[in-house]
Amino acid sequence: MIGAGQGGGPLAGALARAGRRTALVERKHVGGSCINEGCTPTKTMIASGRVAYLAGRAADYGVQTGPVSVDLSKVRQRKRDIVDKFRSGSQRHLEASAGLDLIFGQAHFTGPKKLELKLRDGGSREISAELIFINTGGRPAIPKVEGIESVPVLTSTSIMELDRLPEHLLVLGGGYVGLEFGQLFRRLGSRVTIVQRGPRLLGREDDDVADAVAAVVREDGIEVLLESAPVLVETGKGEDVELTVEAPDGVRTLRGSHLLAATGRTPNTDDLDPAAAGVSVNDKGFIPVDERLETNIAGIYALGDVNGGPAFTHISYDDYRILRTNLIEGGRATTAGRLVPYTVFIDPQLGRVGLTEQEARSQGRAVRVAKLPMSHVARALEVDETRGFMKAIVDADTRQILGVAVLGIEGGEIMSALQIAMLGKLPCTALRDAVFAHPTLCESLNNLFMALQP
C-alpha cells in the first residue's frame, strides 16, 4: 500500500486483519490530505471564522458585545492541536495492527510489482508484492501565470500556517477552495478579492445556485471579479503583490498583501515513476482505473484523489470499501452509479448531490423543479439565518428525486437527508407528506415538495 490516506490506511488494516502480510508506505503523515491539510484543519478554522462572524452580529440577537478582534496565532494553534490529535490517533491504530508494517519513506516503482523505498530515517529498501495499491493523493496546483514564480504564493496548505492576517488577500480561483478561504479570511478581518476566469463562481453548479453564492460572498464584503483572467504577477511596493488581470472592462492591476492560488490540484505521481511498472497515467498525471479501481496492470489498483475521480474524502473511503468487498469478501462492488454528495463549507453551506437541473435537462429528462427560499423556513427565521434556498430536481413521471442543491444553514445536513431518500428510492411525495419534528430544518421538506402537487 502506497499512501496512508483515507482509503489506503483503512484498506491496509483490513488486509492485515484478513491475514495478508501488508506494508503501508507513507511519505509524510498518516491520514492523507483530509486530516493534515484538507477537511480537518480547514473546517476547524472555518469554525473560528463563524464565531467571529456571529460575534460581529451579536446586536442582531439583542446581545451587546465589545469590539471583535482575532488572534490568528491562536486560531492556528487550535487547528494544529486538532490535526495532531486526529493524526496521532490514526497512526497509533495502524502501528497496533497485527500483520501491518507502517513504513515512512518515499516509494517509487523499479519494475513490475517492485518498489524501492527511500526511508525517511535514511537508507533504502526494496519490496515486491502481487497486489499493490496507490493512494498517494494530490497537492495544490500553481497556475501558469507570467511572473508567478517570482512572488510568494500561498496554497490551501500554507495559508493555514500564517500567524498574522493578510491586509488584502487576492484569491485566484472561484471554486470551493477559493470561496471557503476567501470567506474565512474576510470574517477574520482581511480584505478579500476573488478572481475567477469563468462567468460564474462554482462553474459546475446551476446558474441560479452560482449566482446566489456570489450574492452571499459579496454581501459578506468580498470583491468578486468574474470573467477575469490573470496575466501577470509582480512584486509591488514593499512586500505587496501586484496582479494584472484582463477583465470585461479592460486590463486592471490589483494590489494585495498576499496571493492565494486556489485553481485545482495535481496528483502525486511524479515521484512514483508508474511507467517503470507499466502503469498508465493521463495527460494530467492521474492514474486511470476501471469500475473496480484496477489500473491497466492487473493487481495494481489506485484509489482516492490520485485516480482522477471526485476528490472527496468520502469517495476515497468508498474506494476502500469497494476494494475490501471485492478482494477480501469476494463481492463484486463497483463505482458505477454511486451518488457523489459534497458540501461547500461557505456559510451558509452549499450541499449538493445528484444531477443539476442543467444536467437533467441536457439528458432529455422530463423534470420538475421544487424550490424554496430559506426565508420561508421557520427554523431559519428563528435563528436569523435566511440566506439561500433549497432546490430539488424531480422526475416528472416517477417523482423520484434526481438531484438536490441546498444553499442554506446546515445545507450539508439537509442535503444528506434528501440523499437518504434518493438511496431509498422514495418519491418526493413521501417527504411532502412525512411528519417531521417542529421546528427543525428538515420540516421544510414538506413545503419544498408541496409546490409540485398537480
Side-chain angles (χ1 to χ4, degrees):
M1 180 71 62
I2 309 171
Q6 293 299 299
L11 182 58
L15 290 166
R17 289 190 297 273
R20 296 176 183 261
R21 185 182 176 190
T22 305
L24 174 57
V25 184
E26 172 52 48
R27 178 172 59 180
K28 190 174 182 182
H29 294 307
V30 165
S33 297
C34 175
I35 287 179
N36 297 288
E37 302 167 351
C39 315
T40 298
T42 59
K43 280 48 179 180
T44 298
M45 293 185 73
I46 285 171
S48 295
R50 178 160 172 78
V51 171
Y53 168 72
L54 289 174
R57 288 191 58 203
D60 295 344
Y61 297 88
V63 178
Q64 301 303 317
T65 63
V68 178
S69 62
V70 172
D71 185 338
L72 189 59
S73 64
K74 289 187 176 180
V75 173
R76 182 183 64 180
Q77 189 59 50
R78 177 175 175 271
K79 178 266 299 184
R80 287 176 173 176
D81 290 344
I82 291 177
V83 168
D84 287 344
K85 180 179 179 180
F86 283 22
R87 178 197 300 156
S88 61
S90 297
Q91 183 169 330
R92 285 194 301 270
H93 177 74
L94 290 170
E95 290 172 335
S97 300
L100 173 61
D101 293 329
L102 177 60
I103 304 169
F104 285 98
Q106 172 66 54
H108 67 93
F109 285 100
T110 57
K113 307 294 181 69
K114 292 182 179 181
L115 295 164
E116 180 182 23
L117 313 181
K118 294 182 179 179
L119 303 179
R120 188 167 70 182
D121 296 334
S124 63
R125 176 179 173 183
E126 292 185 352
I127 61 175
S128 61
E130 286 305 308
L131 293 177
I132 295 179
F133 305 89
I134 303 170
N135 184 221
T136 51
R139 62 187 185 276
I142 303 299
K144 294 180 179 179
V145 181
E146 183 181 350
I148 199 167
E149 69 284 347
S150 65
V151 302
V153 179
L154 294 169
T155 67
S156 57
T157 301
S158 60
I159 194 171
M160 293 187 288
E161 289 301 311
L162 294 177
D163 58 4
R164 64 182 179 88
L165 286 172
E167 180 182 343
H168 184 189
L169 178 63
L170 305 177
V171 181
L172 295 179
Y176 69 90
V177 173
L179 289 174
E180 288 183 2
F181 279 112
Q183 189 185 56
L184 165 63
F185 279 91
R186 177 62 189 142
R187 288 183 164 188
L188 294 178
S190 300
R191 179 184 169 196
V192 176
T193 299
I194 294 176
V195 178
Q196 169 74 331
R197 285 181 179 271
R200 287 182 168 83
L201 301 175
L202 298 174
R204 296 182 180 180
E205 306 299 335
D206 282 329
D207 290 352
D208 56 349
V209 174
D211 290 344
V213 168
V216 164
V217 296
R218 282 177 169 140
E219 185 181 341
D220 281 0
I222 295 173
E223 181 183 23
V224 178
L225 304 181
L226 301 176
E227 296 182 278
S228 299
V231 294
L232 178 64
V233 181
E234 300 176 285
T235 301
K237 294 181 179 179
E239 297 181 357
D240 284 355
V241 174
E242 292 188 352
L243 173 66
T244 301
V245 300
E246 291 182 349
D249 57 353
V251 176
R252 59 183 294 191
T253 299
L254 310 174
R255 292 175 176 84
S257 60
H258 295 73
L259 178 66
L260 169 65
T263 54
R265 294 177 68 81
T266 190
N268 291 325
T269 54
D270 38 3
D271 293 330
L272 190 60
D273 196 8
V279 175
S280 297
V281 299
N282 66 19
D283 58 350
K284 295 183 179 180
F286 292 100
I287 300 176
V289 294
D290 61 19
E291 292 182 349
R292 290 178 172 79
L293 303 171
E294 194 167 28
T295 69
N296 63 302
I297 301 299
I300 300 182
Y301 299 82
L303 60 162
D305 297 359
V306 75
N307 67 24
F312 301 116
T313 293
H314 42 281
I315 294 301
S316 183
Y317 190 78
D318 190 56
D319 285 353
Y320 141 67
R321 290 188 295 197
I322 289 170
L323 290 170
R324 180 197 64 195
T325 297
N326 296 344
L327 301 178
I328 298 175
E329 300 171 359
R332 297 182 60 81
T334 74
T335 60
R338 70 177 169 187
L339 287 174
V340 180
Y342 56 92
T343 299
V344 182
F345 282 87
I346 53 174
D347 185 18
Q349 297 171 7
L350 172 61
R352 274 275 297 114
V353 67
L355 298 178
T356 64
E357 179 182 358
Q358 181 178 354
E359 288 170 340
R361 295 193 187 282
S362 67
Q363 292 177 10
R365 293 174 178 263
V367 299
R368 299 186 68 185
V369 178
K371 202 168 179 179
L372 182 72
M374 294 303 294
S375 58
H376 290 190
V377 177
R379 183 61 181 162
L381 288 162
E382 291 161 358
V383 299
D384 199 9
E385 296 281 1
T386 58
R387 296 191 291 181
F389 58 83
M390 302 181 189
K391 179 179 181 180
I393 315 305
V394 177
D395 187 284
D397 299 319
T398 66
R399 300 297 180 95
Q400 295 289 310
I401 303 170
L402 303 176
V404 170
V406 182
L407 175 64
I409 178 175
E410 299 296 349
E413 305 295 338
I414 302 170
M415 173 275 291
S416 296
L418 287 160
Q419 181 191 359
I420 292 171
M422 294 169 69
L423 290 168
K425 300 190 182 303
L426 288 177
C428 67
T429 50
L431 299 178
R432 181 196 67 193
D433 300 333
V435 178
F436 294 101
H438 174 78
T440 63
L441 292 168
C442 280
E443 179 189 32
S444 61
L445 299 181
N446 293 152
N447 291 335
L448 173 64
F449 293 112
M450 193 71 70
L452 297 184
Q453 289 194 123

Tab-separated table of all heavy atoms in Angstrom, residues 351-385:
chain	number	residue	atom	x	y	z
A	351	GLY	N	-24.931	22.287	0.058
A	351	GLY	CA	-24.927	20.833	-0.021
A	351	GLY	C	-25.448	20.393	-1.376
A	351	GLY	O	-26.469	20.917	-1.854
A	352	ARG	N	-24.729	19.449	-2.023
A	352	ARG	CA	-25.103	19.035	-3.373
A	352	ARG	C	-25.015	17.520	-3.529
A	352	ARG	O	-24.103	16.877	-3.019
A	352	ARG	CB	-24.157	19.676	-4.394
A	352	ARG	CG	-24.565	21.061	-4.823
A	352	ARG	CD	-25.570	21.008	-5.958
A	352	ARG	NE	-24.964	20.398	-7.136
A	352	ARG	CZ	-25.330	19.219	-7.662
A	352	ARG	NH1	-26.288	18.497	-7.118
A	352	ARG	NH2	-24.742	18.762	-8.742
A	353	VAL	N	-25.966	16.956	-4.249
A	353	VAL	CA	-25.900	15.542	-4.614
A	353	VAL	C	-26.746	15.320	-5.862
A	353	VAL	O	-27.753	16.006	-6.075
A	353	VAL	CB	-26.387	14.628	-3.462
A	353	VAL	CG1	-27.876	14.807	-3.184
A	353	VAL	CG2	-26.059	13.154	-3.733
A	354	GLY	N	-26.326	14.389	-6.701
A	354	GLY	CA	-27.117	14.039	-7.881
A	354	GLY	C	-26.975	15.029	-9.020
A	354	GLY	O	-26.015	15.802	-9.107
A	355	LEU	N	-27.965	15.008	-9.919
A	355	LEU	CA	-27.925	15.829	-11.124
A	355	LEU	C	-28.268	17.285	-10.820
A	355	LEU	O	-29.120	17.577	-9.978
A	355	LEU	CB	-28.932	15.301	-12.155
A	355	LEU	CG	-28.725	13.885	-12.694
A	355	LEU	CD1	-29.849	13.526	-13.654
A	355	LEU	CD2	-27.369	13.748	-13.376
A	356	THR	N	-27.605	18.187	-11.531
A	356	THR	CA	-28.069	19.568	-11.541
A	356	THR	C	-29.267	19.661	-12.491
A	356	THR	O	-29.526	18.752	-13.290
A	356	THR	CB	-26.966	20.518	-12.031
A	356	THR	OG1	-26.647	20.195	-13.392
A	356	THR	CG2	-25.710	20.395	-11.173
A	357	GLU	N	-29.974	20.778	-12.447
A	357	GLU	CA	-31.082	20.975	-13.371
A	357	GLU	C	-30.578	20.973	-14.814
A	357	GLU	O	-31.186	20.355	-15.702
A	357	GLU	CB	-31.794	22.291	-13.070
A	357	GLU	CG	-32.953	22.584	-14.012
A	357	GLU	CD	-33.632	23.920	-13.745
A	357	GLU	OE1	-33.226	24.623	-12.785
A	357	GLU	OE2	-34.565	24.257	-14.502
A	358	GLN	N	-29.440	21.626	-15.034
A	358	GLN	CA	-28.884	21.692	-16.378
A	358	GLN	C	-28.521	20.300	-16.893
A	358	GLN	O	-28.785	19.955	-18.048
A	358	GLN	CB	-27.652	22.603	-16.383
A	358	GLN	CG	-27.016	22.763	-17.758
A	358	GLN	CD	-25.827	23.711	-17.734
A	358	GLN	OE1	-25.542	24.339	-16.719
A	358	GLN	NE2	-25.143	23.809	-18.856
A	359	GLU	N	-27.907	19.482	-16.044
A	359	GLU	CA	-27.542	18.124	-16.450
A	359	GLU	C	-28.772	17.284	-16.776
A	359	GLU	O	-28.805	16.550	-17.762
A	359	GLU	CB	-26.735	17.455	-15.336
A	359	GLU	CG	-25.324	18.001	-15.180
A	359	GLU	CD	-24.638	17.492	-13.937
A	359	GLU	OE1	-25.339	17.027	-12.996
A	359	GLU	OE2	-23.397	17.557	-13.874
A	360	ALA	N	-29.798	17.393	-15.933
A	360	ALA	CA	-31.008	16.610	-16.152
A	360	ALA	C	-31.675	16.983	-17.466
A	360	ALA	O	-32.103	16.114	-18.242
A	360	ALA	CB	-31.973	16.807	-14.981
A	361	ARG	N	-31.756	18.262	-17.747
A	361	ARG	CA	-32.411	18.700	-18.985
A	361	ARG	C	-31.569	18.349	-20.206
A	361	ARG	O	-32.116	18.016	-21.270
A	361	ARG	CB	-32.692	20.202	-18.924
A	361	ARG	CG	-33.709	20.590	-17.839
A	361	ARG	CD	-34.192	22.018	-17.999
A	361	ARG	NE	-35.032	22.436	-16.888
A	361	ARG	CZ	-36.318	22.104	-16.716
A	361	ARG	NH1	-36.913	21.310	-17.613
A	361	ARG	NH2	-37.008	22.547	-15.689
A	362	SER	N	-30.236	18.410	-20.077
A	362	SER	CA	-29.384	18.064	-21.211
A	362	SER	C	-29.483	16.582	-21.550
A	362	SER	O	-29.193	16.179	-22.686
A	362	SER	CB	-27.930	18.431	-20.914
A	362	SER	OG	-27.402	17.616	-19.875
A	363	GLN	N	-29.909	15.760	-20.591
A	363	GLN	CA	-30.117	14.339	-20.842
A	363	GLN	C	-31.496	14.051	-21.439
A	363	GLN	O	-31.837	12.904	-21.695
A	363	GLN	CB	-29.957	13.553	-19.534
A	363	GLN	CG	-28.541	13.546	-18.989
A	363	GLN	CD	-28.421	12.828	-17.650
A	363	GLN	OE1	-29.372	12.156	-17.204
A	363	GLN	NE2	-27.282	12.954	-16.990
A	364	GLY	N	-32.276	15.099	-21.636
A	364	GLY	CA	-33.596	14.944	-22.224
A	364	GLY	C	-34.646	14.445	-21.250
A	364	GLY	O	-35.715	13.991	-21.667
A	365	ARG	N	-34.378	14.555	-19.962
A	365	ARG	CA	-35.337	14.077	-18.959
A	365	ARG	C	-36.479	15.074	-18.790
A	365	ARG	O	-36.283	16.298	-18.859
A	365	ARG	CB	-34.649	13.872	-17.609
A	365	ARG	CG	-33.629	12.732	-17.572
A	365	ARG	CD	-32.922	12.726	-16.238
A	365	ARG	NE	-31.964	11.639	-16.097
A	365	ARG	CZ	-32.219	10.491	-15.485
A	365	ARG	NH1	-33.423	10.277	-14.956
A	365	ARG	NH2	-31.285	9.565	-15.385
A	366	ALA	N	-37.662	14.542	-18.544
A	366	ALA	CA	-38.797	15.387	-18.179
A	366	ALA	C	-38.725	15.598	-16.672
A	366	ALA	O	-38.845	14.642	-15.897
A	366	ALA	CB	-40.106	14.715	-18.560
A	367	VAL	N	-38.465	16.824	-16.255
A	367	VAL	CA	-38.267	17.087	-14.833
A	367	VAL	C	-39.165	18.222	-14.352
A	367	VAL	O	-39.639	19.046	-15.144
A	367	VAL	CB	-36.790	17.452	-14.533
A	367	VAL	CG1	-35.873	16.304	-14.902
A	367	VAL	CG2	-36.373	18.731	-15.237
A	368	ARG	N	-39.383	18.223	-13.042
A	368	ARG	CA	-39.989	19.356	-12.366
A	368	ARG	C	-39.016	19.833	-11.301
A	368	ARG	O	-38.250	19.030	-10.751
A	368	ARG	CB	-41.330	18.968	-11.742
A	368	ARG	CG	-42.359	18.488	-12.766
A	368	ARG	CD	-43.705	18.262	-12.123
A	368	ARG	NE	-44.304	19.522	-11.677
A	368	ARG	CZ	-45.444	19.610	-10.981
A	368	ARG	NH1	-46.086	18.499	-10.651
A	368	ARG	NH2	-45.929	20.764	-10.621
A	369	VAL	N	-39.026	21.109	-11.049
A	369	VAL	CA	-38.068	21.704	-10.118
A	369	VAL	C	-38.814	22.274	-8.922
A	369	VAL	O	-39.714	23.115	-9.073
A	369	VAL	CB	-37.244	22.813	-10.800
A	369	VAL	CG1	-36.278	23.447	-9.795
A	369	VAL	CG2	-36.475	22.237	-11.983
A	370	ALA	N	-38.440	21.784	-7.743
A	370	ALA	CA	-39.004	22.304	-6.494
A	370	ALA	C	-37.991	23.265	-5.882
A	370	ALA	O	-36.806	22.951	-5.792
A	370	ALA	CB	-39.303	21.162	-5.529
A	371	LYS	N	-38.464	24.416	-5.451
A	371	LYS	CA	-37.554	25.431	-4.926
A	371	LYS	C	-38.222	26.156	-3.762
A	371	LYS	O	-39.408	26.503	-3.834
A	371	LYS	CB	-37.189	26.415	-6.036
A	371	LYS	CG	-35.910	27.192	-5.822
A	371	LYS	CD	-35.512	27.897	-7.120
A	371	LYS	CE	-34.249	28.704	-6.944
A	371	LYS	NZ	-33.846	29.386	-8.206
A	372	LEU	N	-37.451	26.370	-2.700
A	372	LEU	CA	-37.988	27.025	-1.503
A	372	LEU	C	-36.940	27.955	-0.920
A	372	LEU	O	-35.851	27.507	-0.542
A	372	LEU	CB	-38.390	25.977	-0.456
A	372	LEU	CG	-39.013	26.518	0.836
A	372	LEU	CD1	-40.423	27.038	0.563
A	372	LEU	CD2	-39.038	25.421	1.913
A	373	PRO	N	-37.224	29.259	-0.820
A	373	PRO	CA	-36.268	30.176	-0.192
A	373	PRO	C	-36.110	29.842	1.289
A	373	PRO	O	-37.077	29.467	1.961
A	373	PRO	CB	-36.916	31.554	-0.374
A	373	PRO	CG	-37.972	31.376	-1.411
A	373	PRO	CD	-38.428	29.958	-1.306
A	374	MET	N	-34.906	30.003	1.800
A	374	MET	CA	-34.699	29.770	3.229
A	374	MET	C	-35.455	30.795	4.072
A	374	MET	O	-35.738	30.546	5.247
A	374	MET	CB	-33.200	29.822	3.553
A	374	MET	CG	-32.379	28.708	2.920
A	374	MET	SD	-32.938	27.018	3.333
A	374	MET	CE	-32.594	26.960	5.089
A	375	SER	N	-35.810	31.903	3.480
A	375	SER	CA	-36.606	32.904	4.207
A	375	SER	C	-38.025	32.417	4.473
A	375	SER	O	-38.776	33.059	5.219
A	375	SER	CB	-36.644	34.218	3.422
A	375	SER	OG	-37.193	34.006	2.123
A	376	HIS	N	-38.405	31.277	3.874
A	376	HIS	CA	-39.712	30.670	4.137
A	376	HIS	C	-39.603	29.485	5.092
A	376	HIS	O	-40.570	28.746	5.256
A	376	HIS	CB	-40.348	30.212	2.825
A	376	HIS	CG	-40.774	31.344	1.940
A	376	HIS	ND1	-41.538	31.164	0.804
A	376	HIS	CD2	-40.535	32.675	2.010
A	376	HIS	CE1	-41.745	32.333	0.223
A	376	HIS	NE2	-41.150	33.263	0.932
A	377	VAL	N	-38.445	29.315	5.693
A	377	VAL	CA	-38.223	28.202	6.612
A	377	VAL	C	-38.257	28.730	8.039
A	377	VAL	O	-37.453	29.595	8.412
A	377	VAL	CB	-36.866	27.521	6.329
A	377	VAL	CG1	-36.587	26.405	7.336
A	377	VAL	CG2	-36.848	26.970	4.903
A	378	ALA	N	-39.185	28.220	8.838
A	378	ALA	CA	-39.390	28.740	10.189
A	378	ALA	C	-38.115	28.704	11.022
A	378	ALA	O	-37.763	29.680	11.700
A	378	ALA	CB	-40.499	27.948	10.882
A	379	ARG	N	-37.417	27.582	10.992
A	379	ARG	CA	-36.218	27.452	11.816
A	379	ARG	C	-35.147	28.447	11.391
A	379	ARG	O	-34.441	29.028	12.235
A	379	ARG	CB	-35.668	26.025	11.720
A	379	ARG	CG	-34.460	25.758	12.600
A	379	ARG	CD	-34.795	25.948	14.060
A	379	ARG	NE	-33.644	25.709	14.919
A	379	ARG	CZ	-33.545	26.119	16.170
A	379	ARG	NH1	-34.555	26.804	16.724
A	379	ARG	NH2	-32.483	25.858	16.894
A	380	ALA	N	-35.004	28.678	10.094
A	380	ALA	CA	-34.026	29.642	9.608
A	380	ALA	C	-34.370	31.054	10.069
A	380	ALA	O	-33.482	31.840	10.426
A	380	ALA	CB	-33.944	29.581	8.085
A	381	LEU	N	-35.658	31.377	10.088
A	381	LEU	CA	-36.092	32.679	10.574
A	381	LEU	C	-35.815	32.833	12.066
A	381	LEU	O	-35.384	33.895	12.536
A	381	LEU	CB	-37.585	32.867	10.299
A	381	LEU	CG	-37.970	33.100	8.831
A	381	LEU	CD1	-39.451	32.830	8.615
A	381	LEU	CD2	-37.625	34.535	8.426
A	382	GLU	N	-36.051	31.778	12.813
A	382	GLU	CA	-35.858	31.833	14.271
A	382	GLU	C	-34.415	32.100	14.654
A	382	GLU	O	-34.140	32.797	15.646
A	382	GLU	CB	-36.336	30.523	14.902
A	382	GLU	CG	-37.852	30.336	14.845
A	382	GLU	CD	-38.282	28.894	15.029
A	382	GLU	OE1	-37.403	28.018	15.174
A	382	GLU	OE2	-39.494	28.637	15.013
A	383	VAL	N	-33.482	31.549	13.874
A	383	VAL	CA	-32.064	31.757	14.183
A	383	VAL	C	-31.454	32.870	13.333
A	383	VAL	O	-30.242	33.110	13.397
A	383	VAL	CB	-31.258	30.442	14.019
A	383	VAL	CG1	-31.772	29.388	14.976
A	383	VAL	CG2	-31.304	29.935	12.586
A	384	ASP	N	-32.293	33.556	12.543
A	384	ASP	CA	-31.860	34.681	11.715
A	384	ASP	C	-30.749	34.294	10.753
A	384	ASP	O	-29.730	34.970	10.630
A	384	ASP	CB	-31.415	35.852	12.595
A	384	ASP	CG	-31.408	37.173	11.818
A	384	ASP	OD1	-31.911	37.193	10.671
A	384	ASP	OD2	-30.888	38.172	12.342
A	385	GLU	N	-30.962	33.160	10.059
A	385	GLU	CA	-30.024	32.684	9.030
A	385	GLU	C	-30.851	32.313	7.795
A	385	GLU	O	-31.120	31.158	7.527
A	385	GLU	CB	-29.245	31.465	9.523
A	385	GLU	CG	-28.341	31.734	10.698
A	385	GLU	CD	-27.031	32.409	10.298
A	385	GLU	OE1	-26.852	32.675	9.094
A	385	GLU	OE2	-26.205	32.658	11.187
